DNA sequence: ATGGCACCTGGAGTGGGCTCCAGGTCAAGG
DNA sequence: CCTTGACCTGGAGCCCACTCCAGGTGCCAT
């Protein structure tokens, strides 16, 4: 079990020194042990926890909820059901996020195709494509402003 | 082509009245026509544009970049190539976002399974599962703090 | 002993994206 | 005539998640 300087941790995790200190301040990281000079010495369990933090942040969990999770983790094995519940709920949110993102990506791609058609039509006014993407309210629509 | 009050637009698009005014102020919405009393009257092209805005915002495009896109749209047909380029670049970012989200979701699900195993092991200390999720650095790891 | 470097602290500042507020205008209804 | 409600304006305020800063400590190499 190695020990790491703040600089190394920043390097490895991608969090800035300031962010690491900030995370400790707000209790997202438990108080980090110090060497004689008062400098932080991180260990593998911190690295691993920071990996989790990165993952949760990256999927949109708020700092507040991560702190809640951190408290459960510190609360010991009795909190495992609660941790599962929290992660499952988050997992469902991520699922939803992905679904929405895909839908919206689809709309963007339809829009791109529409623009392509407009361009093609301008170059070759023979064919008769380029009607508005067509769809429900969710059309995301014509610019209706190419005056 | 109908005309809509701010209240109706807020209702339909999910943007608040304040947000609609804000978007107009910053140029994300072109100046909206007014009735005699100075109240905004939106039309279908505004609704459609707001749909686009919702889609771009929802996929993480910044306000600044949306304003850039809005300017292109106002710039007329000569800007279509640029619009395609902008949307394609955004589309790639969305693709990446989805990929990352999936990876991270996977890690979360592994963590959930790990917790489940811990629970199972506690209930039935016969079987020998519940090793750490196993993997590369990306393990997202043990809490290593269930002291 | 002098400089440089990595780190420390408490606290202030930043940027993005809204959100709220006070005070005012109009139109319709009782 | 008075209220109510939907809307208007300019400008201030808010929340989140950092990020920056000034001033200081300890250690090592020149």
């Amino acid at each position: 079990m190695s020990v790491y300087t703040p600089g190394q941790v920043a390097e490895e995790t991608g969090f800035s020194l300031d962010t690491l200190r900030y995370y400790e301040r707000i209790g997202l990281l438990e108080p980090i042990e110090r060497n004689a000079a008062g400098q932080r010495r991180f260990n593998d369990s911190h690295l691993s926890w920071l990996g989790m933090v990165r993952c949760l942040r990256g999927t949109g969990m708020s700092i507040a909820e991560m702190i809640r999770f951190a408290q459960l983790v510190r609360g010991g094995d009795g909190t495992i059901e609660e941790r599962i519940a929290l992660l499952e709920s988050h997992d469902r949110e991520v699922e939803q996020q992905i679904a929405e993102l895909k839908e919206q990506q689809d709309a963007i791609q339809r829009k791109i195709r529409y623009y392509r058609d407009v361009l093609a039509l301008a170059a070759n006014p023979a064919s008769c494509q380029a009607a508005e993407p067509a769809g429900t309210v969710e059309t995301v629509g014509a610019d209706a402003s190419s005056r």
Side-chain angles (χ1 to χ4, degrees), chain A:
Chain A
M1 165 109 66
S2 338
V3 63
Y4 309 91
T5 66
Q8 288 170 328
V9 175
E11 175 79 13
E12 272 209 34
T13 64
F15 290 117
S16 77
L17 292 172
D18 268 319
T19 299
L20 292 172
R21 289 193 277 259
Y22 167 67
Y23 281 175
E24 183 182 356
R25 264 214 300 284
I26 63 174
L28 185 51
L29 240 33
E30 53 180 351
I32 309 293
E33 302 84 83
R34 308 306 182 93
N35 69 4
Q39 290 174 269
R40 290 170 180 79
R41 294 304 144 185
F42 294 82
N43 61 37
D44 287 311
S45 89
H46 295 127
L47 283 191
S48 144
W49 171 245
L50 284 168
M52 189 77 203
V53 168
R54 175 144 294 280
C55 180
L56 296 176
R57 271 309 286 129
T59 49
M61 186 180 284
S62 72
I63 295 272
E65 197 166 359
M66 292 196 308
I67 289 176
R68 165 108 188 91
F69 185 61
Q71 285 166 346
L72 290 178
V73 170
R74 281 182 224 133
D77 287 356
T79 67
I80 291 191
E81 279 99 336
E82 266 185 276
R83 291 186 230 170
I84 291 176
L86 191 154
L87 290 186
E88 281 187 328
S89 143
H90 184 59
D91 178 52
R92 282 190 294 275
E93 278 165 36
V94 176
E95 193 67 42
Q96 168 117 24
Q97 245 187 93
I98 293 173
E100 272 176 30
L101 229 37
K102 279 184 182 164
E103 256 180 55
Q104 294 175 323
Q105 187 188 32
D106 228 74
I108 291 168
Q109 291 175 346
R110 278 199 302 279
K111 189 73 175 184
I112 292 173
R113 252 177 279 123
Y114 166 70
Y115 278 146
R116 286 249 165 73
D117 287 349
V118 171
L119 237 40
L121 197 61
N124 164 19
S127 50
C128 265
Q129 340 181 38
E132 261 308 288
T136 64
V137 177
E138 247 303 36
T139 289
V140 166
D143 311 327
S145 58
S146 330
R147 56 195 67 141

